[in-house]
């Protein structure tokens, strides 16, 4: 039972130097507390020059804060220790920006602290919450993403599913797979496809049509049957998924949705790349959860899963050449090498995927027509690596000579050290064996522009190569990494900063444009193939309303479900530029997502909005129809 509670209050000011975080630790137990220190994690961080009030000292690493009370303070049962930090790195905007979790250390013991939501002055507790209208629809069909062409003449409600009228093993297996997908997502609903005749079923016939794209399909409806024409195996699966959605909609909401009686649905995806990214470093999700998310992606016909496997907060992929990456680098908290971050502060928190886990996830994804894009985030975001293997840092580089935007000191692999490339060669070799997809994502984001400038080894490299600044050093590094991947038969994917410092040859390189909407066009003008994933619209961790009570981050602004749905990724592109826009991607960053309830609130229905942006031509989109259907979308 928790005997300590931490309340927090945000006091804004004209400058962050004067902004304050006021805190109160209350002893709700039955014994006095003395000779202790308090640790907590919070995204509203104290600055290095912060001034303490009624506290003696503090230590901060990124979001981790450890504070010592004034000497001799004893906290009796029922009493509160009130203290404050004046001087913050970033302003608080929402209730989850304060302490997420904490603990007290006393006499060598760790005691969990219950952290309440951050409070704010009345003037900040305003604005809108997440808003989703009831919506309306002209066609009573539950389909998402919406097809390119729907020409249905009449509807019916006297059938309940489909009878498979085929003896082709491939068709039977495909229907069985979509049955299994439906059952995993909606265990309380009837399966859409039966393999023997029964009453109230439409006969489903299959025809392969070489005129259609491999991922294209048509559904021709008549009074007693429906014919699924498909260009290839992927199109057959997509057509079956749409039939399963129609069936599920009729089962769940017969007053809203019907089966077609006569007419045609003709369909194929707008973009070849319809992706979703998941960060498992900030908060670990086991293989079961990952497979559940893959099922959801398949249900809305997304076809790429970017697995963000490493970051400062933890390394999640078993690499047999470097076992300590997961025995040590995958955990944080008391008793580990890394300080607590972003929740679960009082415990040793973490986890990793064995190579057997990875093969299982990749196989599951392949059965759903989803490619798995692994991401190892380098050269920045590497605290977990450098804490595990300190020899990989330039020992002559002063500690804390630079900090990442998240507050981590000296967190980037050193481009001037042979040890860096030897490490990456072994890591990528094992990854190439685990992941069959043509691309490996190498991050390349958020390297501080002061990185390595105090490293004697990098200084020598810069002089030898004529490199002028950190970004040019990173471009050199990216060129070498690209060569390693090429030797393994892989192409390089990365965030848009890979183009900085002169970039690398765009041939075979795929970049994710995330920092602002204009970056998509800028990268395409440089010749890169691009995935559009702007933080302002497609980042699922962005807050969905201006209200203080709404959970999420807001550095990129507010991304309401409607704004996410309405964003047009090809806006401003020339015809030639559109050829280099390969698709769209939702990014699920998990700093705030400490529970499934928060995850589902923030990710859905916006994930399905990105799916429709990737699939449906703009002229066929309809926000009110999308909102009308959203109540039936699956969640984690």
């Amino acid at each position: 039972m928790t005997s300590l509670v931490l309340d927090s209050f945000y006091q804004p000011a004209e400058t962050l130097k004067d902004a304050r975080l006021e805190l109160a630790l209350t002893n709700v137990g039955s014994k006095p507390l003395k000779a202790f220190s308090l640790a907590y994690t919070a995204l509203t961080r104290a600055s290095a020059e912060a001034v303490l009030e009624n506290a003696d000292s503090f230590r901060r690493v990124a979001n981790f804060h450890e504070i010592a009370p004034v000497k001799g303070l004893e906290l009796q049962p029922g009493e509160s220790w009130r203290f404050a930090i004046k001087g913050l790195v970033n302003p608080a905007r929402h209730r989850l920006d304060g302490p997420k979790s904490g603990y007290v250390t006393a006499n060598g013991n760790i005691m969990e602290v219950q952290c309440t939501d951050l409070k704010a002055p009345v003037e900040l507790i305003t604005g809108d919450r997440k808003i989703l209208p009831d919506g309306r629809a002209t066609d009573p069909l539950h389909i998402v993403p919406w097809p390119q062409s729907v020409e249905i003449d009449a509807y019916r409600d006297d059938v309940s599913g489909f009878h498979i009228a085929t003896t082709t093993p491939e068709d039977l297996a495909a229907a069985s797979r979509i049955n299994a997908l439906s059952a995993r997502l909606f265990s309380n609903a009837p399966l859409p496809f039966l393999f023997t005749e029964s009453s109230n079923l439409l006969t489903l016939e299959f025809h392969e049509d070489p005129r259609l794209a491999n991922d294209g399909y048509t559904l021709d409806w008549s009074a007693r049957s429906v014919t699924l024409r498909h260009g290839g195996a992927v199109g057959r699966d997509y057509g079956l998924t749409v039939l399963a959605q129609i069936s599920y909609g009729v089962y769940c909401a017969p007053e809203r949705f019907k089966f077609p009686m006569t007419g045609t649905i003709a369909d194929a995806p707008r973009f070849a790349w319809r992706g979703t990214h998941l960060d498992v470093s900030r908060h670990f999700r086991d293989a079961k959860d990952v497979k559940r998310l893959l099922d959801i992606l398949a249900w809305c016909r997304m076809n790429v899963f970017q697995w963000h496997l490493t970051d400062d907060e933890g390394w999640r992929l078993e690499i047999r050449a470097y076992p300590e990456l997961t025995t040590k680098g995958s955990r944080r908290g008391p008793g580990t090498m890394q300080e607590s971050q972003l929740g679960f502060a009082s415990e040793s928190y973490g986890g990793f995927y064995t190579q057997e886990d990875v093969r299982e996830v990749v196989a599951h994804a392949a059965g759903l027509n989803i490619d798995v894009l692994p991401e190892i985030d380098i050269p920045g975001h590497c605290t977990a690596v450098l804490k595990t293997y300190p020899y990989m840092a330039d020992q002559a580089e002063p500690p804390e000579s630079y900090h990442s935007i998240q507050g981590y000191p000296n967190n980037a692999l050193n481009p001037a050290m042979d040890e860096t490339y030897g490490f990456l060669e072994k890591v990528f070799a094992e990854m190439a064996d685990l992941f069959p997809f043509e691309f490996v994502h190498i991050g390349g984001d958020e390297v501080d522009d002061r990185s390595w400038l105090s490293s004697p080894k990098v200084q020598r490299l810069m002089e030898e190569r004529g490199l002028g600044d950190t970004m040019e050093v990173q471009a050199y590094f990216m060129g070498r990494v690209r060569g390693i991947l090429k030797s393994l038969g892989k192409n390089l994917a990365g965030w848009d900063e890979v183009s900085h410092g002169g970039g690398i040859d765009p041939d075979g390189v795929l970049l994710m444009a995330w920092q602002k909407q204009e970056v998509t066009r800028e990268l395409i003008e440089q010749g890169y193939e691009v995935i559009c994933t702007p933080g302002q619209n497609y980042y699922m961790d962005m807050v969905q309303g201006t209200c203080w009570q709404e959970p999420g981050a807001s550095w990129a602004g507010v991304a309401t479900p409607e704004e996410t749905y309405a964003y047009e990724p090809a806006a401003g592109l020339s015809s030639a530029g559109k050829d280099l826009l390969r698709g769209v991607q939702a990014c699920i960053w998990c700093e705030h997502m400490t529970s499934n309830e928060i995850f589902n609130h923030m990710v859905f229905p916006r994930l399905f909005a990105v799916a429709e942006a990737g699939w449906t031509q703009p002229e066929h989109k309809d926000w009110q129809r999308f909102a009308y259907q959203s109540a039936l979308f699956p969640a984690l």
Side-chain angles (χ1 to χ4, degrees):
M1 181 176 178
T2 301
S3 61
L4 297 162
V5 176
L6 183 65
D7 295 322
S8 55
F9 308 85
Y10 175 59
Q11 299 294 345
E14 290 187 5
T15 66
L16 284 173
K17 180 181 178 182
D18 295 320
R20 291 158 51 89
L21 193 63
E22 299 177 353
L23 302 105
L25 179 69
T26 302
N27 184 354
V28 298
S30 59
K31 297 179 180 179
L33 182 66
K34 56 185 177 180
F36 68 93
S37 64
L38 167 69
Y40 68 85
T41 70
L43 285 166
T44 298
R45 305 195 303 271
S47 69
E49 299 80 23
V51 176
L52 295 178
E53 299 175 10
N54 198 32
D56 268 357
S57 62
F58 85 101
R59 179 174 70 94
R60 181 180 69 78
V61 178
N63 304 292
F64 174 84
H65 301 70
E66 186 172 26
I67 299 179
V70 292
K71 189 174 182 180
L73 176 70
E74 291 190 14
L75 203 56
Q76 299 298 320
E79 291 184 344
S80 298
W81 165 40
R82 296 178 180 274
F83 62 100
I85 299 171
K86 180 182 177 183
L88 305 175
V89 173
N90 51 311
R93 294 189 176 95
H94 300 281
R95 64 181 179 89
L96 297 185
D97 287 344
K100 292 185 180 299
S101 60
Y103 64 88
V104 158
T105 304
N107 298 319
N109 297 317
I110 300 293
M111 292 176 282
E112 184 178 3
V113 171
Q114 181 185 77
C115 296
T116 61
D117 286 347
L118 182 63
K119 305 299 186 295
V122 173
E123 61 266 22
L124 293 183
I125 308 177
T126 59
D128 295 325
R129 297 292 302 274
K130 174 182 176 179
I131 298 171
L132 200 66
D134 292 336
R136 60 183 179 274
T138 303
D139 298 290
L141 293 171
H142 177 57
I143 306 175
V144 62
W146 194 251
Q148 310 302 350
S149 175
V150 176
E151 297 181 358
I152 302 300
D153 305 312
Y155 291 91
R156 64 196 301 172
D157 56 10
D158 59 344
V159 295
S160 60
F162 306 94
H163 158 238
I164 306 299
T166 181
T167 56
T168 304
E170 293 80 7
D171 294 339
L172 293 171
S176 179
R177 283 198 306 275
I178 304 306
N179 263 354
L181 172 64
S182 179
R184 291 193 300 271
L185 291 173
F186 311 108
S187 59
N188 64 330
L191 296 178
F193 306 114
L194 275 70
F195 296 86
T196 55
E197 291 191 54
S198 181
S199 59
N200 300 326
L201 296 178
L202 285 173
T203 298
L204 174 59
E205 300 176 349
F206 295 82
H207 289 286
E208 188 166 0
D209 188 339
R211 296 171 298 177
L212 299 175
N214 180 58
D215 51 7
Y217 69 92
T218 63
L219 297 169
D220 296 316
W221 302 82
S222 65
R224 295 187 177 183
S225 67
V226 57
T227 299
L228 168 56
R229 303 182 189 278
H230 56 92
V234 178
R236 177 178 56 202
D237 283 359
Y238 289 161
L240 287 167
T241 302
V242 167
L243 292 174
Q245 288 184 350
I246 292 172
S247 181
Y248 180 67
V250 173
Y251 168 74
C252 289
E255 75 285 358
R256 287 191 172 203
F257 302 112
K258 309 294 180 185
F259 284 95
M261 179 175 284
T262 56
T264 299
I265 295 172
D267 202 12
R270 176 188 183 187
F271 289 118
W273 186 294
R274 305 175 305 282
T276 291
H277 151 291
L278 177 67
D279 160 27
V280 294
S281 180
R282 275 54 180 259
H283 287 108
F284 180 69
R285 296 242 169 221
D286 64 20
K288 181 180 178 181
D289 276 353
V290 173
K291 288 190 288 185
R292 170 76 180 186
L293 180 60
L294 289 169
D295 285 345
I296 293 170
L297 302 188
W299 190 248
C300 58
R301 285 168 277 148
M302 297 180 102
N303 66 343
V304 179
F305 172 59
Q306 181 177 332
W307 207 355
H308 186 86
L309 290 161
T310 73
D311 217 300
D312 292 302
E313 291 83 358
W315 182 285
R316 306 293 180 214
L317 175 63
E318 179 191 16
I319 299 296
R320 290 172 178 167
Y322 296 98
E324 292 87 358
L325 285 171
T326 45
T327 58
K328 296 180 180 179
S330 69
R331 307 206 69 84
R332 59 182 188 254
T336 73
M337 294 187 310
Q338 296 202 79
E339 291 83 1
S340 304
Q341 302 286 345
L342 306 168
F344 309 102
S346 64
E347 60 188 88
S348 172
Y349 174 81
F352 68 93
Y353 306 100
T354 67
Q355 295 198 359
E356 288 71 23
D357 290 334
V358 170
R359 294 185 195 280
E360 182 180 311
V361 168
V362 170
H364 187 80
L368 299 169
N369 303 300
I370 296 172
D371 291 313
V372 178
L373 170 65
E375 180 185 358
I376 301 296
D377 203 348
I378 55 174
H381 291 278
C382 280
T383 297
V385 177
L386 294 170
K387 285 258 190 177
T388 303
Y389 298 113
Y391 72 86
M392 290 180 61
D394 184 348
Q395 301 304 308
E397 184 177 24
E400 304 207 26
S401 58
Y402 63 89
H403 290 80
S404 72
I405 193 170
Q406 288 83 13
Y408 287 95
N410 293 30
N411 72 331
L413 298 180
N414 193 301
M417 294 178 60
D418 292 338
E419 291 87 346
T420 294
Y421 302 103
F423 170 78
L424 293 176
E425 285 171 356
K426 292 179 181 178
V427 168
F428 287 137
E430 292 194 30
M431 290 177 65
D433 184 57
L434 291 170
F435 297 97
F437 194 38
E438 64 174 302
F439 288 101
V440 170
H441 198 294
I442 51 72
D445 61 313
E446 296 184 326
V447 171
D448 185 80
D449 59 12
R450 296 163 296 171
S451 297
W452 312 308
L453 297 183
S454 297
S455 163
K457 291 184 177 181
V458 169
Q459 288 301 308
R460 287 194 294 273
L461 175 69
M462 294 173 72
E463 184 176 350
E464 292 169 1
R465 298 277 176 173
L467 306 175
D469 58 21
T470 292
M471 287 299 100
E472 290 188 9
V473 174
Q474 174 166 294
Y476 164 81
F477 170 83
M478 288 300 170
R480 291 196 59 173
V481 169
R482 184 189 189 198
I484 294 171
L485 293 175
K486 281 286 187 185
S487 71
L488 297 167
K490 300 292 184 182
N491 288 324
L492 183 149
W495 301 109
D496 56 55
E497 292 98 321
V498 170
S499 68
H500 293 182
I504 57 177
D505 183 351
D507 183 40
V509 172
L510 182 68
L511 297 187
M512 275 70 172
W514 71 273
Q515 294 191 74
K516 54 184 179 179
Q517 293 97 328
E518 297 84 358
V519 173
T520 295
R521 183 184 67 253
E522 293 168 0
L523 292 175
I524 284 174
E525 290 173 352
Q526 296 175 48
Y528 293 102
E529 289 191 302
V530 177
I531 305 300
C532 180
T533 178
Q536 294 80 1
N537 306 95
Y538 289 171
Y539 270 33
M540 303 290 100
D541 59 319
M542 288 301 106
V543 74
Q544 298 177 83
T546 56
C547 181
W548 180 269
Q549 300 298 337
E550 195 65 37
S554 54
W555 58 262
V558 174
T560 68
E562 183 174 6
E563 289 166 337
T564 297
Y565 185 84
Y567 181 70
E568 171 46 47
L573 295 180
S574 66
S575 298
K578 290 177 182 179
D579 292 338
L580 290 176
L581 178 59
R582 289 193 56 174
V584 298
Q585 185 158 290
C587 286
I588 306 174
W589 297 102
C590 291
E591 282 91 338
H592 286 292
M593 298 183 190
T594 54
S595 69
N596 277 359
E597 289 77 16
I598 295 175
F599 184 100
N600 289 336
H601 177 83
M602 295 177 69
V603 171
F604 305 111
R606 292 187 295 179
L607 179 67
F608 286 83
V610 179
E612 191 148 306
W615 183 281
T616 309
Q617 295 291 346
E619 62 268 26
H620 302 312
K621 294 174 62 179
D622 183 327
W623 163 244
Q624 292 294 331
R625 181 189 61 221
F626 178 85
Y628 188 75
Q629 302 203 55
S630 64
L632 300 190
F633 295 169
L636 200 63

